[in-house]
Amino acid sequence: MKMLAKWRLLSLFAMMALVLSGCGEPYLSALRPAGEVAQSQYELMLLSTAIMVGVIAVVTIIFIYVVMKFRRKNDNEIPKQVEGSHKLEILWTVIPILLLLILAVPTVAATFKLADVSPMEKKNAEGKTDALVINVRANLYWWEFEYPNEEIVTSQELVVPTDEKVYFNLKASDVKHSFWIPSAGGKMDTNTDNVNKFWLEFDSKGADEAGGLFYGKCAELCGPSHALMDFKVKALPSAEFDQWVADMQGVKEPVQAESTTAQQGQEIFNNSCIGCHAVTPANTAPEAARVGPNLTNFGDRSRIAGVLEHNEENLKKWLEDPEVYKPGNKMTGKYPELDKAELDALTEYLMGLKVQK
Amino acid sequence: MSTYAQKKGFGATLWDFLTTVDHKKIAILYLIAGGFFFILGGLEALFIRIQLAVPNNDFVSAGFYNEILTMHGTTMIFLAAMPLVFAFMNAVMPLQIGARDVAFPFLNSLGFWLFFFGGVFLNLSWFLGGAPDAGWTSYASLSLASETHGIDFYALGLQISGAGTLIGGINFLVTIVNMRAPGMTYMRMPMFTWATFVTSALILFAFPPLTVGLFLLIFDRMFGANFFDVSMGGNTVIWEHLFWIFGHPEVYILILPAFGIFSEIFAIFSRKRLFGYSSMVFATVLIGFLGFMVWAHHMFTTGLGPIANAIFAVATMAIAVPTGIKIFNWLFTMWGGSIKFTTPMLWAVAFIPSFVAGGVTGVMLASAAADYQYHDSYFVVAHFHYVIVGGVVFALFAGAHLYWPKMFGTMLNETLGKITFWLFLIGFHLTFFIQHFLGLMGMPRRIFTFLPGQGLETGNLISSIGAIFMAVAVIVLLINVIMTSVKNEKVGNDPWGDGRTLEWAIASPPPFYNFKQLPLVRGLDAYWLEKMEGKKGMTPAEPLGDIHMPNNSFIPFVISFGLFIAAFGAMYRADYAWGLPVLILGMAVTLGSMFVRSIKDDHGFHIHKEDLMEDDNDKGVKA
């Protein structure tokens, strides 16, 4: 009998997992976990859903029985006036308490596990951490990712190694945002007051299913373009990630454009854009000076402004009038209007900003 | 001859409602104003669903969408759900305890007008430069960064209407403590009165934190303070705490009266005493108490640390226990009963599975580690609409049908009522069930649009279609109300035939003094007990005598209007030279009318015994 109940529970779990895994895209859905954090959260979801489906089933059975059985047949009938039943009342007080305990224990355990960021504190001889740490800074409507150990900065596209715990320092530089990569794990707010810390892990299997690119979202209302404050996460095998870091570190000076159009573009960039956008990855400039996304590897990225498909046409449209694509952004009006030739030149220059060989 | 039965002109009726201190008329005012704001909030909801029906929609702009979503939430919570709950509390609670009015009729009127002017002030923002756009939670960093006067409208409007709510809550508390009819002990009070009692206590403790938070916000935005300005040493997380210390009890302030209404309905239409009455009372009080212990579960992702998160997770889960007790007690009230499926009963029956679905997702959200995924996603949107619509709004519809005869003396059409019910029920589940999955599939809440290719298209379209059903349902209800009012077929004391509590023992609508003689209460379901012994009405607890009644007063209107003026002054003080004088003028109007109220002797009036007896004779003639 006990075995049977166990099997039933298991099959219920399997059923739910099957139903839920059909939900959503592998690069975005919390129901397609692609890492240790998302996985443990997914398991909690399954456990709580199973308990809750059980509760709903009991209520529904009683409900249907009552509603069917006790309809009024005769207008004169007066049912027996029952005060209550201590036995029943104790029963439906104690059983829920037990069910909640079953849920509470793994909840508390997971809450502590997900908050364990002790490797961030352990410094080695160089004063750096052995663990990979990334400082996330959320801004009206873009994201900056600084790798303090590697001393590089990138924006909009987070690059991480797979199958390794990645630790995050999170904060916001203007209003509160929230950092969320659903398929890798739950969110954490980026406050204006303090630095929040947490960790995520991206497994290689999940990364393969997602095509190596996860979607990240801002989850806290932050202004008109809150809905468009997307970022992407490129999850690379460890060796490729190290190569990427080395490539980034290799860019010491702004890369000289090659074609003549691109050189014109670079000139425009140096006159109008470089005040906000850096094209070298070094993290030496203070945060306050990094007012726009770092563009060192702009050509390698998969979206323009986090939301538009990455092609020249979209880049031109964006440069022409960012307000149309991200209302309330901080770039609109910060640079002189660009004519068609200037747009072409600038686009060619920006698209050529590649680090990955 | 009685004066109140005479037909009055429109002007006289209007003046009567502007000055009334009668809890039954104030209930009607709350119903009309709350109903109006409910429709307004519903329209805002429709705009939201139209905008999100397809990806990349441009029905409304990004900034305007944020105003709509903010006003939808704020309006529905503060200006629709709360006043509608107050409407039923006002209409029914004094009757249920056998009182002639609330303890402070003047304050009751003041509470309404404060709410009304606060709500009007908030909604004027649409026409005066833009509505608030930082969400109904108005988190400090964003609300300080917001450039229009929208947030000022939010802070000042809610401050004014919040004062009204607080006054109303205190009034109900005092009424229930002091004005119960002879024999009505606490444990003989109807469940709805118990719910009103606990709700009022929650209001008493929950609204002050909101008041404090709003004042700090007002000082920051309008008077140069820096409570939430991080660069000046302020702290925005404090706002989150203050808001949710209020905000979480607030949802119980809404749901407990809903529970109360359903408790009445289950008992009435099952012809059975509420199962486990004392455990229901206990559960209500416990929910009210625990409601103050769990606010930080709205802040699991704020970064409070695992210890706080774990404690608040477990505390939140604990609330499921008393709520579960209630669900099973309702089921067992019906068990063995004689169920009649009237419109109110349909709502009550549908409430059980709908609310259980919302309740269990609440427990899922309580699981802190998993909440990091749910938080601020459409999963949360689905959850709180399941509890607030599936619980509170269902109760308001049920209550409207149940108490319509008691409030207006006419019955809403049952067929139309059932059409409303089915349309709304289908629309509700269609709209919100799918949103659980949208959230888990990675859709954050409060987004004005979504991009194609993220697997979110189908779900959002289904959700938008559901909204149309709900809109049609509300239109049918409005038609029903108009038809019923035009037909104006009066009904007797106990139109449902199965009334159990005191309000069904007197005329519909009751005379303005409610009970000619205070009734003697001999147990729970006092009127039912008398009926079962073959009596027609309640046994009086006192001989017929003069009744002392309060005079109408226009002062509550003026006090509230003064604050309404002052709010404009406070808001435009920094922009225009006339701001400060207007602020002072408004405060002078308010304080001046309060002064008049204090020094003017107003002893009310007496209805004489002879007139009361004549009333009886009038009725005798009619019959």
Side-chain angles (χ1 to χ4, degrees):
Chain A
M1 189 64 207
K2 243 186 185 167
M3 271 299 280
L4 195 71
K6 211 175 166 188
W7 273 110
R8 264 195 210 142
L9 199 67
L10 268 179
S11 53
L12 182 67
F13 260 77
M15 276 272 289
M16 273 172 18
L18 204 69
V19 171
L20 292 180
S21 65
C23 279
E25 307 291 348
Y27 43 81
L28 179 64
S29 176
L31 301 174
R32 311 280 293 267
E36 195 182 335
V37 175
Q39 185 61 38
S40 58
Q41 288 165 336
Y42 183 65
E43 280 159 14
L44 266 180
M45 277 180 210
L46 287 184
L47 174 66
S48 54
T49 311
I51 296 174
M52 296 310 148
V53 168
V55 171
I56 290 177
V58 171
V59 171
T60 311
I61 291 167
I62 302 176
F63 176 81
I64 292 174
Y65 177 75
V66 166
V67 170
M68 290 302 180
K69 176 94 194 286
F70 299 107
R71 291 164 171 272
R72 188 172 302 176
K73 282 142 203 134
N74 173 356
D75 234 8
N76 293 323
E77 65 186 356
I78 300 293
K80 192 167 160 248
Q81 304 291 307
V82 186
E83 279 195 27
S85 154
H86 284 297
K87 265 187 210 150
L88 278 174
E89 284 164 43
I90 289 169
L91 188 73
W92 62 58
T93 309
V94 173
I95 292 179
I97 291 178
L98 294 177
L99 289 178
L100 289 174
L101 280 177
I102 296 174
L103 181 59
V105 172
T107 293
V108 171
T111 305
F112 278 89
K113 187 183 94 176
L114 300 188
D116 178 19
V117 289
S118 49
M120 292 176 89
E121 319 300 333
K122 279 191 215 112
K123 298 272 159 67
N124 59 23
E126 291 171 60
K128 293 177 173 177
T129 57
D130 291 326
L132 175 62
V133 174
I134 299 174
N135 298 340
V136 175
R137 197 162 61 98
N139 308 272
L140 286 166
Y141 314 109
W142 61 279
W143 299 85
E144 181 183 82
F145 308 108
E146 177 187 1
Y147 300 69
N149 292 335
E150 291 74 16
E151 296 175 350
I152 55 174
V153 175
T154 186
S155 298
Q156 297 295 56
E157 218 156 284
L158 174 65
V159 182
V160 290
T162 52
D163 302 320
E164 180 184 329
K165 282 186 182 177
V166 183
Y167 293 85
F168 294 91
N169 284 309
L170 305 161
K171 68 171 182 178
S173 51
D174 30 48
V175 301
K176 186 183 173 98
H177 305 271
S178 190
F179 177 77
W180 189 26
I181 308 164
S183 29
K187 60 192 75 63
M188 186 83 147
D189 293 353
T190 60
N191 292 337
T192 50
D193 312 85
N194 64 302
V195 175
N196 279 336
K197 295 168 196 284
F198 83 148
W199 62 273
L200 293 171
E201 190 256 352
F202 306 79
D203 66 34
S204 42
K205 191 169 149 282
D208 286 345
E209 279 169 27
L213 200 69
F214 295 108
Y215 283 28
K217 300 266 175 191
C218 172
E220 182 68 55
L221 180 64
C222 54
S225 284
H226 161 56
L228 304 173
M229 196 171 151
D230 289 8
F231 61 97
K232 299 289 171 288
V233 185
K234 210 180 262 180
L236 302 173
S238 192
E240 284 179 42
F241 174 76
D242 291 341
Q243 184 58 46
W244 176 79
V245 170
D247 289 343
M248 285 291 276
Q249 283 169 335
V251 184
K252 301 286 183 206
E253 293 291 318
V255 182
Q256 281 303 314
E258 283 164 16
S259 73
T260 34
T261 343
Q263 278 167 1
Q264 286 167 2
Q266 186 166 22
E267 205 169 308
I268 300 166
F269 187 88
N270 287 343
N271 288 333
S272 306
C273 314
I274 207 153
C276 301
H277 297 283
V279 282
T280 50
N283 67 344
T284 43
E287 275 171 7
R290 311 200 292 247
V291 292
N294 187 301
L295 300 178
T296 308
N297 58 346
F298 180 81
D300 292 331
R301 292 180 192 161
S302 61
R303 291 290 187 288
I304 288 168
V307 284
L308 301 173
E309 217 177 300
H310 199 80
N311 58 38
E312 294 196 353
E313 196 189 338
N314 279 338
L315 179 56
K316 282 179 203 164
K317 282 190 197 161
W318 166 256
L319 290 172
E320 217 171 354
D321 189 4
E323 199 62 20
V324 175
Y325 303 96
K326 268 195 177 176
N329 76 78
K330 300 290 173 197
M331 176 162 151
T332 306
K334 292 274 162 63
Y335 54 97
E337 236 173 84
L338 303 161
D339 64 28
K340 204 180 160 297
E342 287 172 318
L343 277 175
D344 288 344
L346 200 51
T347 302
E348 186 160 338
Y349 168 65
L350 288 171
M351 282 300 194
L353 287 174
K354 291 186 182 179
V355 169
Q356 276 166 318
K357 302 292 174 320
Chain B
M1 108 136 253
S2 64
T3 45
Y4 70 94
Q6 285 176 332
K7 277 268 174 212
K8 282 185 281 194
F10 176 74
T13 312
L14 183 67
W15 180 249
D16 188 31
F17 273 95
L18 289 179
T19 59
T20 188
V21 294
D22 180 349
H23 72 96
K24 299 177 288 299
K25 284 183 180 155
I26 289 171
I28 291 172
L29 288 174
Y30 269 118
L31 191 69
I32 294 170
F36 170 75
F37 286 124
F38 180 75
I39 289 167
L40 210 60
L43 284 174
E44 283 151 7
L46 279 182
F47 294 152
I48 289 174
R49 281 323 317 171
I50 293 172
Q51 168 70 11
L52 292 180
V54 289
N56 269 334
N57 201 359
D58 60 353
F59 176 70
V60 292
S61 72
F64 190 52
Y65 181 87
N66 287 356
E67 295 176 25
I68 293 174
L69 84 87
T70 302
M71 286 301 281
H72 167 67
T74 313
T75 303
M76 282 302 195
I77 298 279
F78 291 99
L79 308 180
M82 294 230 11
L84 288 171
V85 160
F86 265 55
F88 295 123
M89 287 181 177
N90 256 311
V92 178
M93 182 275 288
L95 301 180
Q96 280 195 331
I97 61 170
R100 294 215 167 90
D101 206 320
V102 292
F104 307 115
F106 180 91
L107 283 187
N108 202 11
S109 164
L110 179 62
F112 170 77
W113 289 111
L114 283 170
F115 140 69
F116 179 77
F117 279 110
V120 170
F121 182 81
L122 181 53
N123 274 282
L124 284 177
S125 61
W126 288 118
F127 309 103
L128 297 170
D133 56 0
W136 86 285
T137 51
S138 209
Y139 273 14
S141 62
L142 183 60
S143 61
L144 289 190
S146 178
E147 282 158 11
T148 64
H149 274 302
I151 304 294
D152 304 337
F153 277 106
Y154 168 93
L156 292 163
L158 289 190
Q159 196 69 293
I160 296 172
S161 72
T165 308
L166 186 58
I167 288 173
I170 293 170
N171 202 351
F172 290 145
L173 272 182
V174 178
T175 306
I176 294 173
V177 171
N178 289 305
M179 299 183 63
R180 283 166 290 127
M184 170 138 325
T185 60
Y186 280 104
M187 292 311 277
R188 286 179 184 174
M189 290 198 313
M191 212 48 226
F192 180 68
T193 299
W194 258 113
T196 306
F197 187 62
V198 176
T199 302
S200 304
L202 290 185
I203 289 174
L204 181 62
F205 292 107
F207 268 71
L210 176 70
T211 308
V212 169
L214 287 174
F215 266 130
L216 298 186
L217 186 62
I218 288 171
F219 292 154
D220 267 19
R221 281 191 59 99
M222 284 163 256
F223 298 91
N226 299 302
F227 293 104
F228 305 125
D229 187 344
V230 176
S231 62
M232 303 296 282
N235 188 304
T236 61
V237 180
I238 298 289
W239 166 269
E240 293 181 31
H241 281 293
L242 285 171
F243 186 86
W244 287 117
I245 290 173
F246 147 78
H248 195 79
E250 167 70 20
V251 301
Y252 294 101
I253 290 170
L254 296 176
I255 200 66
L256 289 179
F259 288 171
I261 291 174
F262 287 130
S263 299
E264 300 293 323
I265 291 173
F266 283 121
I268 291 174
F269 296 105
S270 304
R271 281 194 175 159
K272 219 169 135 256
R273 179 195 149 106
L274 193 63
F275 190 90
Y277 170 82
S278 34
S279 71
M280 286 297 253
V281 171
F282 167 74
T284 306
V285 175
L286 193 62
I287 292 173
F289 177 76
L290 287 176
F292 282 98
M293 306 291 151
V294 298
W295 79 89
H297 69 216
H298 298 269
M299 300 164 63
F300 278 154
T301 66
T302 301
L304 302 179
I307 297 172
N309 282 1
I311 292 171
F312 279 96
V314 175
T316 305
M317 288 179 189
I319 293 191
V321 175
T323 315
I325 293 177
K326 279 178 161 288
I327 297 283
F328 285 108
N329 276 332
W330 286 319
L331 285 173
F332 278 77
T333 302
M334 291 193 283
W335 188 294
S338 162
I339 304 172
K340 189 177 180 189
F341 287 98
T342 58
T343 307
M345 190 59 172
L346 283 178
W347 285 109
V349 165
F351 150 80
I352 288 189
S354 306
F355 187 81
V356 168
V360 296
T361 52
V363 177
M364 292 173 72
L365 283 159
S367 175
D371 177 75
Y372 302 158
Q373 285 286 19
Y374 310 136
H375 183 90
D376 267 349
S377 78
Y378 257 75
F379 188 86
V380 173
V381 177
H383 159 72
F384 68 69
H385 282 97
Y386 257 85
V387 286
I388 294 185
V389 181
V392 182
V393 175
F394 278 24
L396 294 173
F397 281 128
H401 285 87
L402 177 70
Y403 291 121
W404 197 269
K406 198 42 72 183
M407 291 176 81
F408 297 98
T410 55
M411 288 283 259
L412 287 173
N413 183 300
E414 279 285 288
T415 315
L416 287 179
K418 284 172 183 168
I419 293 173
T420 303
F421 165 76
W422 284 110
L423 283 174
F424 199 91
L425 184 73
I426 294 166
F428 162 70
H429 286 286
L430 213 52
T431 303
F432 297 112
F433 189 71
I434 193 80
Q435 291 184 357
H436 293 110
F437 295 92
L438 283 174
L440 295 175
M441 281 153 64
M443 182 167 166
R445 72 191 273 206
R446 292 169 165 174
I447 54 172
F448 83 98
T449 190
F450 58 97
L451 302 175
Q454 301 185 86
L456 305 175
E457 289 92 336
T458 321
N460 274 298
L461 184 63
I462 293 174
S463 187
S464 294
I465 292 170
I468 299 169
F469 279 82
M470 286 193 277
V472 176
V474 173
I475 292 171
V476 174
L477 177 67
L478 286 179
I479 294 172
N480 195 355
V481 167
I482 293 167
M483 273 178 51
T484 307
S485 309
V486 171
K487 272 193 195 156
N488 202 19
E489 286 168 18
K490 294 292 177 192
V491 293
N493 292 4
D494 184 11
W496 297 106
D498 292 318
R500 307 176 70 84
T501 41
L502 286 179
E503 74 268 32
W504 305 109
I506 52 175
S508 311
F512 68 104
Y513 46 79
N514 294 353
F515 297 91
K516 196 181 309 165
Q517 292 161 288
L518 293 183
L520 180 69
V521 175
R522 300 196 294 170
L524 182 68
D525 296 334
Y527 180 47
W528 176 265
L529 292 179
E530 304 292 332
K531 278 200 288 190
M532 286 302 103
E533 290 180 12
K535 293 185 191 151
K536 282 240 163 68
M538 299 301 298
T539 312
E542 58 176 15
L544 192 59
D546 290 0
I547 298 175
H548 182 206
M549 296 299 289
N551 282 325
N552 282 5
S553 172
F554 190 54
I555 294 178
F557 185 96
V558 181
I559 292 178
S560 311
F561 186 64
L563 287 177
F564 178 74
I565 298 172
F568 278 107
M571 195 168 57
Y572 290 119
R573 193 188 57 95
D575 303 351
Y576 305 103
W578 52 260
L580 191 61
V582 167
L583 174 61
I584 293 168
L585 172 79
M587 292 311 290
V589 170
T590 297
L591 294 172
S593 41
M594 286 162 86
F595 182 71
V596 171
R597 162 76 183 166
S598 303
I599 55 157
K600 202 174 104 183
D601 276 334
D602 183 355
H603 296 299
F605 65 98
H606 283 84
I607 316 167
H608 297 292
K609 202 163 124 183
E610 296 74 28
D611 293 336
L612 287 171
M613 277 153 75
E614 246 178 67
D615 261 9
D616 260 2
N617 294 339
D618 277 2
K619 269 197 199 127
V621 173
K622 272 182 213 153

